[in-house]
Amino acid sequence: MCVYCKAASTVLDKLWEDEDFRVFFYGHGYDLSDLGPMTHDVFVPAYLAFKRRLTGGAIELLEAQVTEDILSPLARRPNFRAMWSEWDQAMRSQFLREQSEIKLSTLLVMAYAAQLSDGYKWAFLAHVNGQRV
């Protein structure tokens, strides 16, 4: 599963906790297990489109904070520091990107649940109606 699939799936799982969100999909004959296979083609583009719409450096500030929140506790662990020093830059970047994106997706749902919900519903409807998102 790609990094963005994990993040988009995390958003979907968090949004699914809202009854109105679930009822929307139930009304179309879909359950959460039916939506999972659509993650890459439907919900990843909706997630990325939402992120692109955040302006004024908000996303960059959030991403920087998330990276700091992830690395600070890990850096205090001797085993992690040793492992980190053995990794090449590509491995470090991949680790940070994956961990940061998942944490960021959780924060985005907390702050922008309604907008993400609308975006996911719109992307779903476009998909089931055969439209390109």
Side-chain angles (χ1 to χ4, degrees), residues 16 22 25-32 34-35 38 124 127-128:
W16 197 258
R22 287 191 311 269
F25 289 98
Y26 291 153
H28 288 88
Y30 286 79
D31 198 345
L32 184 59
D34 302 315
L35 301 177
M38 297 180 193
F124 167 78
H127 177 76
V128 297

Side-chain angles (χ1 to χ4, degrees), residues 1 10 17 25 42 55 65 73 75 79-80 86 92 107 123 129:
M1 185 180 273
T10 298
E17 295 171 8
F25 289 98
V42 177
T55 58
Q65 183 60 49
N79 293 347
F80 182 78
E86 292 176 11
R92 290 176 185 166
L107 293 175
N129 291 322

